[in-house]
Amino acid sequence: MTFEILSSIKSHIIRWPRHLLMAGGFCLLVACGGGGGGGSSVAITEPSVTLENSSNDLAPFYPGKSIFLKPTYSAGTGKVTWVNASGTTGELSLSGSGTLVQDNPLSTTDYTLTVTYPDPAKLNSTLTKADKLTVTITPVSVPPVTLDLSQGTLTTGRSDHASVRLPDGRVLVAGGTDGTTVLKSAEVFDPSSEKWVSATDMKTARRGHTMTLLQDNKVLVTGGFDGKAALATAEIYDPSSNTWTATLGPMALSHRFHTATLLPDGKVLVAGGVAGPLLTADPKATEIYTPSTGLFTAGPALPEARQGHTATLMKDNKVLFIGNSGDNSAAGKVLTYISATPASSTWSSTSAAGNVRYNHTATVLDTTQSKVLVIGGGVTPNSAEIYDIDANTWTATTAMSTARSLHTSTKLLDGRILVVGGYDGKQSLTSIEIYDPSSSAWTTYAKVLNTARAMHTSTLMSNGDVLIVGSYFQTSGTIYKTTEIWRH
């Protein structure tokens, strides 16, 4: 850790509303400052000085994992100095008492808070008081999660946004809500520097929308909610020029909390969600976007209205639809897509799944796109099962250790499935689990997220790391600007 790293945190000091956890023992040092008249010591009862760690996680702390230092004092000016195991030292002046300061130490580090204040017994004299805290870092070969507020902080905290990896490896995040306003802003994360850069705003503010990377390397954004009404509009982002352009034609219906699936012919199937705007709108209607024309046309009607569902592309032009928060009895359906005449595409039912689901995830397991892992959500939110499209069968697999909905599932480069955060019915989660298809076993990394997250996004980057963005928001609460990275 260098002085430059911690000093850069000065512009990113945050207030932390959670309870505080002590990270180590304290050593209280008291000394008299200089000044005229006598050299006798003065008993110091004020200011009170404490230095605390307030990470969400209990020890052990891993290299690069966030800790939070809480300096408190009643008068004077304070500074934090530190020295780590390699002898690197540094110093940071503080803006005031009670303000949390984040650091990401790479090795065991001694932090000392020193407060200088006027000596009430002697004119033009000062006293100092110090408190010391040692944070012990446990080495691991691969840190499970690192968080870097000094570089990796969003300009705007977001919930209910959308994310997509661009062809050049950067990650585009757009829209959502900051807790007060529906956003039209967009940001791009550059993994080479692990910094965020503002992108051009979308033409329309939206949350509950979709973003789909097209075959021409542009990004299609559809539907959503602007804070007043559901949207039928769609727009295209061109990474090469950092510009947004409205599609040539809008959708026939407004859609929010829908799915958008890239089909093998390059078109996009928009299905389900809350359709409108009129109450008479057919909630079973789907639409297909054709990039070459910029227009939406009618697609194959859903057998039943769906929301809170997933639509997953599988082999042989087939799309698996699972789940429905509007009608818990909705069974799985498979669409066999016919590119030449999409409206004549056919539907078939899957065999009976073991659990009814909504706000779950569905992740393709194999390169042949014949098996899908479906986990969480619905009636039994810790359960997991696998659908085999060749055999048209569902097979229960080992359950997760934690019930979760509104989580993310990301297929890693080694074929394992990373499951992050979610909502357990009472609170957002910090836990992370990994599913290994070769052994049908889960590995649990309890409380590795620095911030509890649900309704977030997790995007696999080119280097195998996973970028985790956003936090849960319904009608109240805090939306965090922090972003986290799962290191592969």
Side-chain angles (χ1 to χ4, degrees):
M1 181 178 59
T2 65
F3 172 67
E4 288 77 15
I5 291 175
L6 190 54
S7 63
S8 68
I9 298 174
K10 285 189 289 185
S11 61
H12 297 277
I13 293 174
I14 64 172
R15 298 200 175 273
W16 196 259
R18 302 185 185 275
H19 63 280
L20 301 175
L21 303 172
M22 305 303 291
F26 295 101
C27 176
L28 188 61
L29 308 176
V30 180
C32 289
S40 60
S41 297
V42 177
I44 301 174
T45 57
E46 287 291 339
S48 173
V49 180
T50 61
L51 188 61
E52 303 181 10
N53 175 69
S54 62
S55 169
N56 279 352
D57 294 354
L58 296 169
F61 299 103
Y62 303 106
K65 185 177 180 181
S66 287
I67 63 168
F68 291 86
L69 309 174
K70 186 191 178 187
T72 58
Y73 47 94
S74 59
T77 59
K79 66 179 179 180
V80 170
T81 56
W82 66 93
V83 57
N84 63 21
S86 63
T88 301
T89 62
E91 180 178 307
L92 175 65
S93 297
L94 300 172
S95 61
S97 173
T99 302
L100 296 184
V101 179
Q102 183 191 353
D103 190 23
N104 301 75
L106 300 178
S107 61
T108 295
T109 301
D110 292 328
Y111 296 93
T112 301
L113 169 66
T114 303
V115 177
T116 302
Y117 61 101
D119 183 350
K122 300 177 182 179
L123 186 64
N124 298 324
S125 180
T126 59
L127 298 173
T128 61
K129 189 175 182 181
D131 201 9
K132 183 178 291 185
L133 171 66
T134 297
V135 177
T136 301
I137 303 301
T138 303
V140 291
S141 58
V142 180
V145 171
T146 60
L147 169 66
D148 189 348
L149 281 179
S150 64
Q151 296 183 25
T153 305
L154 286 163
T155 300
T156 303
R158 300 173 189 271
S159 179
D160 203 11
H161 57 285
S163 301
V164 69
R165 189 179 87 192
L166 301 173
D168 61 7
R170 297 177 300 154
V171 177
L172 172 69
V173 174
T177 176
D178 62 5
T180 303
T181 305
V182 178
L183 304 170
K184 66 168 62 175
S185 63
E187 305 182 48
V188 176
F189 181 80
D190 185 344
S192 65
S193 63
E194 296 194 356
K195 292 183 179 179
W196 289 93
V197 177
S198 295
T200 306
D201 287 353
M202 292 187 292
K203 293 186 172 298
T204 302
R206 55 184 90 221
R207 59 181 295 192
H209 53 293
T210 62
M211 291 205 306
T212 309
L213 181 64
L214 304 174
Q215 291 181 352
D216 63 2
N217 293 337
K218 297 178 182 179
V219 178
L220 171 70
V221 175
T222 64
F225 180 69
D226 66 1
K228 297 179 180 180
L231 302 170
T233 61
E235 49 190 306
I236 299 289
Y237 179 71
D238 186 343
S240 64
S241 59
N242 188 28
T243 57
W244 295 90
T245 306
T247 56
L248 188 59
M251 295 182 289
L253 298 174
S254 59
H255 292 266
R256 56 175 171 154
F257 307 120
H258 52 291
T259 55
T261 307
L262 181 66
L263 300 167
D265 61 5
K267 300 176 183 179
V268 178
L269 173 67
V270 177
V274 182
L278 300 177
L279 294 177
T280 55
D282 182 4
K284 300 178 183 179
T286 71
E287 306 188 43
I288 292 180
Y289 175 73
T290 302
S292 61
T293 65
L295 298 173
F296 290 87
T297 55
L302 291 165
E304 59 279 302
R306 291 181 184 263
Q307 58 180 328
H309 63 289
T310 53
T312 308
L313 179 66
M314 302 190 72
K315 64 188 300 186
D316 301 328
N317 281 5
K318 295 181 178 180
V319 181
L320 173 67
F321 280 75
I322 295 294
N324 186 14
S325 58
D327 178 2
N328 293 348
S329 65
K333 293 291 194 305
V334 175
L335 171 70
T336 301
Y337 173 68
I338 301 174
S339 179
T341 54
S344 63
S345 301
T346 60
W347 292 93
S348 60
S349 297
T350 70
S351 60
N355 292 282
V356 174
R357 300 186 188 275
Y358 48 90
N359 296 332
H360 57 285
T361 56
T363 311
V364 175
L365 288 176
D366 57 338
T367 56
T368 63
Q369 295 181 286
S370 62
K371 295 181 180 180
V372 172
L373 174 70
V374 180
I375 62 170
V379 177
T380 313
N382 69 327
S383 64
E385 50 193 322
I386 296 173
Y387 178 69
D388 186 328
I389 199 167
D390 292 330
N392 188 26
T393 57
W394 288 94
T395 304
T397 189
T398 310
M400 293 183 290
S401 65
T402 303
R404 58 184 88 225
S405 301
L406 300 172
H407 53 284
T408 58
S409 296
T410 307
K411 185 178 180 180
L412 302 174
L413 296 181
D414 61 10
R416 296 179 301 157
I417 308 300
L418 175 73
V419 179
V420 175
Y423 188 72
D424 66 0
K426 297 180 180 179
Q427 60 187 356
S428 300
L429 302 171
T430 58
S431 61
I432 287 179
E433 303 186 51
I434 290 185
Y435 179 76
D436 188 342
S438 65
S439 60
S440 299
W442 291 93
T443 300
T444 302
Y445 298 86
K447 290 188 175 182
V448 294
L449 284 174
N450 294 286
T451 299
R453 300 180 187 271
M455 201 181 283
H456 54 290
T457 56
S458 295
T459 306
L460 179 68
M461 295 186 286
S462 303
N463 65 357
D465 293 346
V466 177
L467 178 67
I468 304 166
V469 179
S471 50
Y472 188 46
F473 178 83
Q474 286 183 304
T475 57
S476 63
T478 301
I479 295 178
Y480 297 101
K481 295 182 180 181
T482 59
T483 57
E484 306 193 43
I485 298 175
W486 173 270
R487 303 293 186 187
H488 71 288

